[in-house]
Amino acid sequence: MSTPVLVSDNGSVRTVTFNKPERLNAFDAAGFRALTKALDDAAADSSVAVVVIEGAGKAFSSGVDLRALSAPGADTADFGHAFAPLIVALVEFPKPLVAAVHGAAVGIGLTMLLFCDVVYVADDARLRAPFTSLGTAPEAASSWMLPKVIGAQRASELLLTARWLSGKEAAEIGIAVAAVPADQLHPRAMEAASQIAGNIGPAVLAAKKLLRQGWSEEARAAVQREDDAARELIRELGSFAQKFTTT
């Protein structure tokens, strides 16, 4: 079995790579735990100034591994128990977080980008918040984060229609800072990370803290509201609830 997350360092820039390419980097409980550990380790390591996240193979991440979640005997509660600490790690991550997004970015593959400080996308990437099409509520504080990042109207349209958007559109509406050709994506993200790492560390940390001031409390409150809504949908729909709760 492959390692769900790979970690490598280039000077003070750490790259965290989602490593389940055969499933388009879909996350199961082990994947959530591995990514949480990678983020926690990077936060605690004084030699790491910046973290870049990316996906191996053809996609950034296709979201939750629904096949694993719906498999006979699957422990759906375990998904939730693994998911909750990841959101905390993203909310509380104190260092600059850069994302390089190619291929598909679906569900958590999209919503985690809202916690990143700088996002680059391949111009042919495809992103989607599929929650209403799955019969569940938004996740990972996206009901609060997405309007904050791109505005209420655009967030409503994306969350209510569950439509796909291209990398170019993601950059145009503010989910990403730029869309670039796929072969330039990794170099562009690494260039930005190196520029950040080359600045004065305490000043960089202070800038991020100021930019994100107040987000932690709001994001945690949004997660609780989303979890409550997901539970209510499970009761109403009486389905497998392709959503897992985080408590």
Side-chain angles (χ1 to χ4, degrees), residues 148-168:
K148 185 170 182 65
V149 172
I150 67 173
Q153 285 284 332
R154 285 177 170 145
S156 294
E157 193 252 354
L158 291 180
L159 288 174
L160 296 177
T161 66
R163 71 173 178 86
W164 289 93
L165 67 157
S166 69
K168 288 183 179 179

Side-chain angles (χ1 to χ4, degrees), residues 36-56:
T36 301
K37 184 178 186 306
L39 292 172
D40 289 345
D41 288 349
D45 190 337
S46 61
S47 71
V48 176
V50 184
V51 172
V52 176
I53 57 173
E54 59 184 12

Side-chain angles (χ1 to χ4, degrees), residues 52-119:
V52 176
I53 57 173
E54 59 184 12
K58 297 180 179 180
F60 180 72
S61 173
S62 57
V64 172
D65 191 337
L66 295 178
R67 186 171 72 181
L69 189 58
S70 60
D75 186 351
T76 57
D78 190 45
F79 271 76
H81 295 151
F83 185 71
L86 173 59
I87 303 309
V88 172
L90 287 166
V91 169
E92 302 294 344
F93 194 68
K95 299 177 181 179
L97 191 58
V98 178
V101 181
H102 75 293
V106 180
I108 187 62
L110 167 60
T111 57
M112 76 169 67
L113 302 179
L114 305 174
F115 296 98
C116 295
D117 303 289
V118 182
V119 177

